[in-house]
Amino acid sequence: DMKSLMQAFTLFSAGALPSAMASGVSQALSSLVPNNLNHGDLSLVYLINCGIGVVGLLLFWFVWKSAPQHLRTVQKVAESDSDDNSAERSDEGSSELSSDEHARQS
């Protein structure tokens, strides 16, 4: 029951919410973007959009920093797993090399 609710929220936040936000920003800044772009203030529109992006990045960073430690270290665990796998591969390569050397010595 909770799984379907979370799926619905994910679809809403990934599909409808960004479109609604972009539409709201576009409507709010429509007075700065006339049909004749020579008469508009496009640099201000781009600056406001960049500001919204920076605020979003800062909010993401703040939420990420305030998350519990076990949620922030998921990527580090995945990286250490891949390092273990690469170490195993290099060990396999060295064992193959030693078996080749052993064959030459026989």
Side-chain angles (χ1 to χ4, degrees):
D1 206 25
M2 192 67 167
K3 187 177 179 181
S4 60
L5 179 65
M6 287 308 296
Q7 174 120 18
F9 178 73
T10 301
L11 289 173
F12 168 73
S13 61
L17 199 54
S19 298
M21 291 291 291
S23 177
V25 170
S26 178
Q27 289 295 318
L29 300 176
S30 64
S31 64
L32 298 174
V33 185
N35 287 336
N36 186 351
L37 297 179
N38 292 326
H39 298 116
D41 196 4
L42 293 181
S43 58
L44 182 60
V45 172
Y46 285 116
L47 185 64
I48 291 171
N49 279 322
C50 288
I52 291 170
V54 168
V55 168
L57 287 173
L58 290 173
L59 285 172
F60 172 80
W61 181 78
F62 177 74
V63 169
W64 179 75
K65 288 300 258 184
S66 64
Q69 186 66 27
H70 70 278
L71 293 176
R72 292 188 296 179
T73 58
V74 171
Q75 185 176 5
K76 291 180 183 177
V77 170
E79 288 175 0
S80 67
D81 286 345
S82 66
D83 290 342
D84 292 343
N85 291 339
S86 64
E88 290 172 2
R89 279 188 237 121
S90 65
D91 290 343
E92 291 171 5
S94 63
S95 66
E96 289 174 2
L97 182 63
S98 63
S99 65
D100 289 341
E101 289 175 356
H102 181 55
R104 285 186 205 146
Q105 292 175 354
S106 306

